[in-house]
Amino acid sequence: MKMRWKGVVAIVAVVSVGMLSACKHGHHGCDPKMLKEHVDAKLKDIGASGEQRAKIGGITDGIVADLQELQQKNKGISQKFIGCLLLDKPNSQWLHATVDEKAQELVAFAHRTVDRLIDVSGNLTPEQRAELRQRVAEKAK
């Protein structure tokens, strides 16, 4: 079971790093300016004050900067990983070590992002959070 889990993590890590790279090359949801505008528009929709929008905008900037740093750090890793896999004798030690390293990086990024999103939530009033919950529930239908 542990080996199966490692295989799943390996695939997720490589695909995630690839997606992060692709994200930089034209996927609009990852455009920092568009993301910031989207967040600000949603905050306006729920009646967030200018002060709240400024604080949350700073938090959003931190998430984006962190993501961009992760993308830069992992530039080309998908090609290296696939290149190694396609060798006559793939370097299994390097492949496994890379999976472990990238999985740790992604988990750390996810935890930092969650902490920042907790800060976002803390900058909203109970009423604003209720409004967001309702909007999310409606979109899920």
Side-chain angles (χ1 to χ4, degrees):
M1 184 69 165
K2 189 174 183 180
M3 289 303 287
R4 179 180 276 173
W5 178 244
K6 273 189 140 181
V8 170
V9 169
I11 292 167
V12 169
V14 171
V15 170
S16 296
V17 170
M19 286 172 54
L20 290 173
S21 297
C23 184
K24 186 176 178 183
H25 300 293
H27 186 272
H28 296 291
C30 297
D31 180 293
K33 183 180 175 193
M34 289 183 73
L35 175 62
K36 188 160 179 133
E37 289 172 2
H38 176 76
V39 168
D40 196 55
K42 296 302 173 189
L43 291 171
K44 285 180 185 177
D45 289 348
I46 63 167
S49 70
E51 183 181 345
Q52 285 175 306
R53 292 184 5 241
K55 284 182 183 178
I56 293 170
I59 295 167
T60 303
D61 290 344
I63 293 170
V64 169
D66 198 7
L67 175 60
Q68 289 174 331
E69 184 179 321
L70 185 64
Q71 288 173 331
Q72 189 62 36
K73 181 178 182 179
N74 289 297
K75 200 172 197 167
I77 193 67
S78 293
Q79 291 81 8
K80 290 177 188 175
F81 198 90
I82 292 168
C84 185
L85 282 172
L86 298 177
L87 293 172
D88 290 338
K89 287 192 148 218
N91 181 342
S92 64
Q93 185 177 15
W94 180 84
L95 289 166
H96 287 283
T98 301
V99 166
D100 291 342
E101 178 186 330
K102 298 308 162 192
Q104 288 175 354
E105 287 175 10
L106 290 172
V107 167
F109 169 75
H111 283 289
R112 289 189 304 271
T113 301
V114 165
D115 288 339
R116 288 175 170 138
L117 293 173
I118 290 168
D119 287 345
V120 168
S121 181
N123 278 287
L124 299 174
T125 66
E127 295 80 16
Q128 291 166 331
R129 285 191 294 276
E131 176 71 22
L132 284 176
R133 270 193 304 277
Q134 181 182 346
R135 289 171 183 251
V136 169
E138 288 171 2
K139 283 200 178 231
K141 291 181 183 178

